[in-house]
């Protein structure tokens, strides 16, 4: 919708992303635990590295979710029915979308993403695969309520939020997002959402610390991005990637661990780190049946069906408004 011409990225006079700088400066200044929000992992290099992660043998979520989407098409068709506008939150380059669209005979497809060029390119590619399906890409920050295109106003909606991206959020933020989705999608809506499951700690930690070192690169790329975009001199080669299961919060945490005492400068400000101190860069929360139901209920959604892959590693949940 061209009438909503919101500035999604706010650059200063020298081209620096203000929100990125603010998050990094605040995150590196925290005396208790340095931390930077995970969304900044996804610059062009980071997005490519995440694509590479989905192919390493230890990272099971993408394959497990794809298996569910491939095998349960008939069940989706029966419970979801035809004619819904499928609204995908953070569509990116999703390879999973065609599996869903093929199964359910949608009335329209509305991919939402903050990365506009990427969004339009993948929307065009998807259009080619589904001639006759109206596709209405919307460049938007889907963490807030989104005004959907007029063309889908009268269609019931199916929200699609695969990948366990909800797991990147702490409970409070996840609940806020689910409620915003509920407001965006309306009273008749359904939501199909991926949530990764709690499992053996060694399996979880390996999934976020693959032997080939792709996840390590993904994590340390954030420090490289800071150096490049915020005029920093963080000694990236003196950091080690760590994936750590936090059992209290049921999440895998990614940290960048300083290997020696150090000082560095970012955007004109000096920082110090002691050997062993970390920068916390990502949370990936894992769920069981009860905790996922609880989260959905808190976010104003009622779970109606759940599916897992054959090995029981990952869940795809259908909920109604
Ligand atoms: C894209 C958020 C689903 O948490 O599993 C993968 C990101 N980080 N390996 C996840 C990620 C490290 C991924 N999500």
């Amino acid at each position: 919708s061209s009438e909503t011409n919101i500035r999604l990225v706010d650059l200063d006079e020298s081209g620096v992303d203000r929100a990125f700088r603010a998050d990094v400066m605040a995150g590196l200044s925290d005396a208790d635990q340095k931390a930077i929000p995970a969304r900044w992992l996804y610059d062009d290099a980071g997005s490519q590295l995440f694509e590479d992660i989905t192919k390493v043998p230890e990272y099971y979520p993408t394959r497990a979710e794809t298996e569910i989407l491939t095998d349960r098409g008939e069940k989706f068709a029966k419970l979801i029915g035809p004619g819904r506008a499928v609204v995908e939150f953070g569509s990116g380059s999703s390879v999973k979308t065609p599996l869903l669209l093929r199964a359910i005979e949608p009335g329209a497809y509305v991919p939402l993403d903050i990365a506009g060029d990427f969004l339009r390119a993948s929307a065009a590619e998807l259009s080619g695969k589904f001639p006759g399906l109206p596709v209405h890409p919307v460049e938007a920050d889907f963490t807030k309520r989104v005004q959907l295109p007029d063309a889908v106003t009268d269609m019931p909606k199916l929200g699609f939020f695969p990948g366990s991206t909800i797991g990147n959020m702490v409970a409070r933020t996840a609940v806020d997002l689910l409620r915003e989705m509920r407001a965006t999608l309306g009273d008749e809506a359904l939501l199909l959402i991926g949530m990764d499951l709690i499992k053996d700690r060694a399996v979880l930690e390996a999934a976020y610390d693959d032997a080939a070192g792709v996840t390590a690169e993904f994590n340390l790329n954030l420090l490289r991005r800071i150096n490049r975009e915020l005029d920093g001199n963080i000694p990236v080669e003196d950091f080690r990637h760590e994936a750590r299961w936090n059992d209290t919060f049921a999440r895998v945490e990614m940290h960048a661990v300083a290997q020696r005492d150090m000082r560095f400068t970012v955007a004109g400000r000096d920082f110090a780190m002691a050997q062993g101190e970390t920068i916390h860069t990502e949370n990936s929360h894992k769920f069981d049946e009860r905790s996922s139901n609880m989260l959905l209920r808190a976010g104003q959604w009622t779970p109606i069906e759940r599916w897992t892959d054959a090995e029981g590693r990952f869940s795809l949940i259908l909920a109604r408004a």
Side-chain angles (χ1 to χ4, degrees):
S1 49
S2 53
E3 72 273 15
T4 54
N5 190 19
I6 327 149
R7 291 260 296 293
L8 294 169
V9 181
D10 186 17
L11 304 180
D12 77 1
E13 54 292 331
S14 48
V16 173
D17 185 325
R18 286 195 166 91
F20 181 45
R21 184 174 51 209
D23 279 355
V24 169
M25 298 318 252
L28 293 179
S29 304
D30 193 311
D32 296 327
Q33 171 64 69
K34 291 179 166 49
I36 296 168
R39 59 182 282 231
W40 302 113
L41 289 163
Y42 299 90
D43 64 349
D44 288 344
S47 300
Q48 182 55 56
L49 283 163
F50 176 66
E51 292 291 313
D52 297 344
I53 286 171
T54 65
K55 286 158 199 146
V56 302
E58 297 93 335
Y59 190 77
Y60 62 84
T62 307
R63 282 187 299 277
E65 190 177 42
T66 302
E67 176 192 320
I68 303 168
L69 283 164
T70 306
D71 292 355
R72 306 303 177 100
E74 277 170 39
K75 291 277 184 199
F76 299 152
K78 200 169 142 232
L79 285 165
I80 295 166
R84 285 186 182 261
V86 174
V87 179
E88 183 167 4
F89 294 90
S91 50
S93 68
S94 189
V95 288
K96 295 162 192 166
T97 315
L99 298 170
L100 175 66
L101 297 181
R102 220 168 281 140
I104 65 169
E105 286 184 61
Y109 174 55
V110 184
L112 310 181
D113 206 287
I114 198 156
D117 294 340
F118 201 48
L119 170 74
R120 282 178 286 274
S122 37
E125 194 186 320
L126 193 125
S127 267
K129 283 187 197 147
F130 294 87
L133 177 70
V135 176
H136 307 283
V138 178
E139 187 171 353
D141 171 3
F142 68 77
T143 63
K144 311 208 170 71
R145 189 186 167 159
V146 178
Q147 179 71 48
L148 296 179
D150 293 342
V152 302
T153 303
D154 294 330
M155 290 179 202
K157 315 296 186 297
L158 170 69
F160 185 42
F161 195 37
S164 200
T165 304
I166 192 83
N168 277 173
M169 289 151 222
V170 297
R172 165 68 196 270
T173 317
V175 167
D176 286 349
L177 173 60
L178 289 166
R179 287 171 170 242
E180 294 297 324
M181 288 176 166
R182 169 77 179 69
T184 294
L185 297 171
D187 291 338
E188 308 300 314
L190 295 174
L191 175 67
L192 187 62
I193 182 170
M195 293 198 197
D196 194 16
L197 295 169
I198 296 171
K199 60 184 60 63
D200 188 74
R201 169 186 203 131
V203 174
L204 286 168
E205 287 179 344
Y208 292 83
D209 190 9
D210 60 282
V214 182
T215 310
E217 274 308 304
F218 174 68
N219 188 9
L220 298 179
N221 174 61
L222 176 58
L223 305 185
R224 295 198 180 91
R225 179 181 187 184
I226 292 170
N227 283 347
R228 195 173 55 244
E229 294 186 24
L230 302 178
D231 192 23
N233 60 4
I234 301 172
V236 180
E237 55 299 334
D238 290 325
F239 281 83
R240 176 176 63 75
H241 165 70
E242 187 173 296
R244 198 191 277 179
W245 173 248
N246 180 330
D247 198 56
T248 305
F249 295 148
R251 69 192 187 199
V252 179
E253 299 176 357
M254 284 203 320
H255 292 259
V257 187
Q259 297 296 92
R260 59 169 173 84
D261 292 354
M262 58 173 72
R263 298 180 167 282
F264 53 81
T265 305
V266 175
R269 210 191 292 169
D270 295 328
F271 298 94
M273 289 182 74
Q275 181 174 3
E277 190 182 346
T278 76
I279 304 172
H280 182 183
T281 53
E282 189 181 52
N283 291 316
S284 196
H285 291 84
K286 307 302 170 187
F287 303 89
D288 61 16
E289 192 168 331
R290 287 194 181 87
S291 64
S292 56
N293 286 346
M294 168 82 107
L295 185 66
L296 286 164
R297 294 290 296 133
Q300 300 182 319
W301 293 93
T302 303
I304 51 182
E305 187 68 88
R306 67 172 52 237
W307 299 275
T308 63
D309 59 301
E311 289 181 51
R313 295 168 298 180
F314 194 95
S315 66
L316 203 57
I317 303 170
L318 185 68
R320 63 172 168 74

